[in-house]
Amino acid sequence: MAALGPLSLTACGGGADRAASPERTSASEAKQSAAIAGATSRFVHPGLLHTAADFERMRIKVAQGAEPWASGWRALLASGRSQLGVMPSPLQTVIRGGDGENFRQMYTDIARAYQLALRWKVSGDKAYADQALAFLNAWSSTMTTLTGNGDRFLAAGIYGYQWANAAEIMRTYSGWAAPDLARFQTMMLTLFYPLNHEFLATHNGSHVTHHWANWDLCSLASMLAIGVLCERADIYDEAMVYYKAGPGNGASSQAVYYLHPGHLGQWQESARDQGHSTLGIGLAGVFCEMAWNQGDDMYGYDNNRFLAGAEYVAKSNLKDAAGAFYNVPFATYRNLRNDVPVFASGGQGHRRPVWELVHHHYVNRKGLAAPYCALQTQQIGPEGDAGNGDQLGFGTLTFSRDPVKPGAAPSGLNAIGSGGQIVLSWWGSAGAASYTVKRASVRGGPYTTIQSGIIDLLSYTDSDLATGVYYYVVAAQGPAGESAASGEATGYAGVHPHTRLSLNQTTGTTATDSSGNGRNASLVNGPAWVAGRNGARALAFDGVDDYLSLPQDALADLSDFTIGAWVYWNGGRNWARIFDFGSGSMHYMMLSPCGADGLPRFAVTTNHGVGEQAVAGTVALPAGQWVHVALTLAGSTGTLYVNGAAAGSNPDIRHAPFRLGSTGRNWIGRSQYAGDPYFHGQIADFCIYRGALDASGVAALMHGQLGNAGAGEPQSATGAQQVSTYCAR
């Protein structure tokens, strides 16, 4: 504790916080913060990686000598970059990539500014604050250019968010003059943000899938940090929108490319190497933490998708009791440059000081289990800065939190049905020893235990099921006994009606779903009700701008499926759509009557057109006549049927509809791509079933012998019973 120096528990406060902070604030510092932030500030200050409450926790824990904070503090004190007496070395022009590289000089001074700022906030010794300001002011008054080859975008991203964090800590210091802060903000807005924005908009002139996830993620982290530091809500929101639904590999659904059972999320750069995979976790982690401190939960976004990726990367870089690296599942990854069928083991076992942040949020803030992230913290801690400029480090000091009380219920349970099996995955509870799976045949129970003692993987496959609808919950077993049950998940075994648009109406702007499941579709731009096939009705599309739109997330929980329709195609240009369900040209599932080769084509992708998994037709779809088309997915096998006969198949379709994520563009007759033609012709009896019909079932569907099998997705038949059962109905 002697190394702590003059420890003061009187804090420098946070200005216009949206919630009261336990950190005490002196009058002069509060005045300074208010002058900087303004009374109407949208943002919390300090509010990037660390808040006022975080610094209060650090001070108290260090003063108490509590672990692991005391060890984290000693790691900071031992760092050569946290010492007084070193002067800044600012550059007018910083170069990363190509001739004349000198960027290491900048990231070294960033690390010094950040570590000195931490020492001030924890110890209260203003000598460290003044020294940190010397670095911030020297660089903002000297640097005019950030350049280099394509790596300049990495510099703008990684060092942009790091500079902003050092400055955000210091903004509440009364010794930082407002003009100096303003000059620093100008540096961030004119030298760093423009490169962040340019990269996300253009990807340096390359295809959007060309760059690995880190490139996007560092730009996003920088933009988010600059938005807060500079009171620019537009920049902050730009980063948030991109992380949720942007087209590049740093967006949430692209960075965590594929979800395996047990919520193990394959990280995009696991197809590259493990050094970059761990870097990606560090960058995404700081993005989520900074957003969290501004009231936006990107940690929990899309059912904790980031945790799925973090656990995957953590596990794949750890060794088991026998000394071998853990095996992790891997789905082939494809982008413009790469087609990678196996996990990339290069650099496996890489240790990077980024895990405390992830572990303490999910486990000690939220009460979830993150066992592999926890193991990473144990083998690395206490975290330093690693010395390479890739991360700020010192997470043991800054992010550690007291453990939560165990006993919470598991969460995030989902149930995916395929081939007579239902695969369950859930999030575990901090402190739980094992898990019990329970099943019911009616919603809400009563439930019967079907498996107990599950430790890892947090997944269970319910097999050999009769056709039906099943309801599941999971409970945790811990020191206090069994927890409350998780939320209920519904699983479907066999074939069940999902959506049935007979399109047999005469008027109206809504096509009624006769399955009873309420997925009515809207007529957009006036497709016409007309006489159709065999005296029935149909919907006619003009090939100009009209189409049919199904509800938001219509296929959100659909795995194995059958989609069928009667189609009268008038012919025309390639790449019209019978259907195209998705969220844009990044995530979609489509069927075209005529692709580039003149044959029908089904394709599904979660990574733009370059990542398509397709079923290519073997016969041309006739134009100018009624044709029945159907598409089935059974496990990983997709099959196209034309007039009841198989006309193309692919055994390697891994992207079931639920993997598309949230879809708001679920269209019949229109493409996700703006340049593609609209469908020209008529469509009748468009239907979707849960589960894959076999050839005899598709034949029965074509002849109108399946019907709806009742309303509300009830039990129906599979296999050889399909035709007779539906005919009887």
Side-chain angles (χ1 to χ4, degrees):
M1 292 303 296
L4 187 60
L7 180 67
S8 170
L9 295 184
T10 299
C12 294
D17 287 9
R18 288 182 289 181
S21 167
E23 184 173 31
R24 295 178 292 277
T25 310
S26 72
S28 62
E29 288 161 347
K31 183 177 180 181
Q32 172 77 0
S33 180
I36 293 170
T40 60
S41 171
R42 164 181 163 177
F43 296 108
V44 175
H45 298 296
L48 290 179
L49 286 177
H50 317 301
T51 65
D54 294 334
F55 288 120
E56 181 77 355
R57 180 184 66 250
M58 294 177 222
R59 282 192 292 270
I60 292 172
K61 293 294 188 179
V62 170
Q64 293 172 342
E67 292 293 354
W69 296 270
S71 293
W73 176 247
R74 288 192 294 270
L76 177 61
L77 297 182
S79 170
R81 294 173 176 173
S82 74
Q83 310 304 314
L84 297 174
V86 179
M87 299 306 295
S89 300
L91 298 168
Q92 184 174 15
T93 299
V94 175
I95 304 169
R96 177 163 178 171
D99 296 334
E101 276 195 338
N102 59 3
F103 68 97
R104 292 169 184 83
Q105 191 165 324
M106 181 170 70
Y107 77 59
T108 299
D109 275 7
I110 294 172
R112 287 172 174 149
Y114 174 75
Q115 293 174 33
L116 290 162
L118 286 183
R119 289 195 67 167
W120 163 59
K121 292 295 284 186
V122 177
S123 73
D125 187 341
K126 291 185 177 181
Y128 293 98
D130 293 336
Q131 184 81 354
L133 286 186
F135 284 91
L136 299 178
N137 290 338
W139 278 88
S140 65
S141 61
T142 302
M143 184 177 175
T144 62
T145 306
L146 177 56
T147 189
N149 62 19
D151 284 3
R152 70 190 185 278
F153 295 111
L154 293 174
I158 295 173
Y159 312 132
Y161 95 78
Q162 293 180 359
W163 268 132
N165 269 274
E168 181 70 9
I169 295 173
M170 297 306 303
R171 72 182 300 147
T172 57
Y173 180 49
S174 59
W176 200 5
D180 291 339
L181 170 59
R183 185 178 64 244
F184 191 91
Q185 291 169 321
T186 297
M187 178 181 77
M188 302 307 296
L189 288 170
T190 58
L191 300 185
F192 289 85
Y193 167 69
L195 289 173
N196 304 151
H197 173 82
E198 179 187 349
F199 181 78
L200 293 179
T202 69
H203 288 88
N204 200 24
S206 64
H207 189 272
V208 70
T209 68
H210 175 83
H211 290 85
W212 296 95
N214 285 308
W215 293 74
D216 274 8
L217 285 168
C218 69
S219 295
L220 290 170
S222 179
M223 288 168 62
L224 200 78
I226 290 170
V228 174
L229 176 70
C230 299
E231 291 285 337
R232 287 286 299 271
D234 57 326
I235 296 175
Y236 180 94
D237 291 342
E238 181 183 356
M240 289 290 291
V241 168
Y242 193 103
Y243 183 77
K244 292 178 181 178
N249 287 324
S252 172
S253 64
Q254 306 307 104
V256 184
Y257 168 70
Y258 191 92
L259 291 174
H260 297 278
H263 294 322
L264 270 182
Q266 182 174 318
W267 191 254
Q268 191 257 356
E269 295 199 63
S270 293
R272 183 187 187 188
D273 62 62
Q274 298 314 299
H276 286 96
S277 293
T278 56
L279 175 59
I281 297 302
L283 291 169
V286 299
F287 181 92
C288 291
E289 181 69 13
M290 293 186 297
W292 174 270
N293 286 332
Q294 296 301 325
D296 293 310
D297 186 7
M298 293 299 97
Y299 281 116
Y301 181 70
D302 195 11
N303 192 19
N304 302 309
R305 194 176 185 100
F306 173 55
L307 176 57
E311 280 289 281
Y312 184 95
V313 174
K315 182 175 184 178
S316 62
N317 284 282
L318 289 165
K319 291 183 177 180
D320 61 21
F325 285 111
Y326 285 105
N327 288 321
V328 290
F330 188 85
T332 296
Y333 177 76
R334 182 181 299 113
N335 63 15
L336 186 69
R337 296 187 302 163
N338 304 280
D339 192 344
V340 184
V342 296
F343 176 83
S345 60
Q348 195 169 15
H350 189 85
R351 296 188 178 188
R352 187 181 293 274
V354 298
W355 296 102
E356 297 277 15
L357 178 154
V358 183
H359 168 252
H360 283 283
H361 172 81
Y362 286 110
V363 177
N364 293 337
R365 261 189 188 148
K366 303 301 292 181
L368 299 175
Y372 296 104
C373 291
L375 288 172
Q376 285 284 357
T377 66
Q378 292 171 21
Q379 77 165 5
I380 294 174
E383 288 183 354
D385 72 352
N388 60 8
D390 283 348
Q391 57 279 314
L392 290 168
F394 299 99
T396 305
L397 170 66
T398 57
F399 299 120
S400 292
R401 286 174 167 78
D402 288 317
V404 297
K405 183 179 179 180
S411 59
L413 177 65
N414 62 30
I416 303 299
S418 178
Q421 297 182 330
I422 296 175
V423 179
L424 306 176
S425 299
W426 62 91
W427 290 115
S429 309
S434 65
Y435 300 88
T436 300
V437 177
K438 303 178 182 182
R439 182 181 68 203
S441 58
V442 295
R443 191 179 302 278
Y447 302 99
T448 300
T449 295
I450 58 173
Q451 185 66 50
S452 60
I454 298 173
I455 299 174
D456 182 52
L457 187 70
L458 299 189
S459 179
Y460 176 73
T461 300
D462 200 6
S463 303
D464 300 322
L465 292 167
T467 296
V469 183
Y470 299 90
Y471 304 92
Y472 299 90
V473 295
V474 177
Q477 306 296 325
E482 184 170 283
S483 74
S486 68
E488 186 180 75
T490 305
Y492 298 85
V495 178
H496 303 263
H498 178 279
T499 303
R500 184 69 180 271
L501 305 176
S502 65
L503 305 180
N504 203 29
Q505 299 164 231
T506 57
T507 60
T509 58
T510 299
T512 302
D513 174 16
S514 61
S515 75
N517 296 314
R519 297 186 181 93
N520 299 330
S522 300
L523 280 66
V524 182
N525 295 331
W529 299 106
V530 297
R533 173 180 164 273
N534 294 341
R537 306 286 294 177
L539 198 60
F541 301 85
D542 62 12
V544 177
D545 64 354
D546 58 11
Y547 60 99
L548 197 58
S549 180
L550 274 72
Q552 173 84 21
D553 297 333
L555 309 182
D557 62 347
L558 191 64
S559 49
D560 286 9
F561 69 85
T562 301
I563 299 177
W566 280 98
V567 174
Y568 190 106
W569 178 48
N570 289 336
R573 292 192 295 141
N574 299 344
W575 298 120
R577 298 290 197 269
I578 296 172
F579 65 80
D580 198 336
F581 304 137
S583 56
S585 59
M586 181 169 65
H587 291 185
Y588 59 83
M589 183 179 81
M590 69 85 171
L591 177 62
S592 173
C594 183
D597 57 2
L599 300 173
R601 178 182 174 87
F602 166 81
V604 58
T605 183
T606 60
N607 195 29
H608 303 270
V610 297
E612 281 189 351
Q613 299 166 10
V615 176
T618 57
V619 294
L621 191 73
Q625 59 182 276
W626 282 104
V627 179
H628 190 268
V629 294
L631 200 290
T632 67
L633 181 66
S636 61
T637 299
T639 305
L640 173 67
Y641 293 87
V642 175
N643 285 333
S649 183
N650 184 349
D652 192 26
I653 303 292
R654 300 179 309 281
H655 293 316
F658 75 89
R659 297 191 183 279
L660 298 176
S662 180
T663 60
R665 296 154 61 104
N666 302 310
W667 295 331
I668 298 173
R670 180 181 175 182
S671 170
Q672 303 293 328
Y673 289 89
D676 287 343
Y678 286 71
F679 181 82
H680 188 203
Q682 301 175 33
I683 296 177
D685 202 15
F686 187 97
C687 57
I688 305 173
Y689 287 89
R690 297 182 185 275
L693 292 167
D694 59 16
S696 62
V698 171
L701 176 65
M702 180 179 69
H703 293 297
Q705 295 171 327
L706 296 192
N708 288 330
E713 299 185 351
Q715 179 172 322
S716 48
T718 57
Q721 297 178 320
Q722 289 173 328
V723 176
S724 60
T725 300
Y726 283 106
C727 287
R729 292 181 182 275

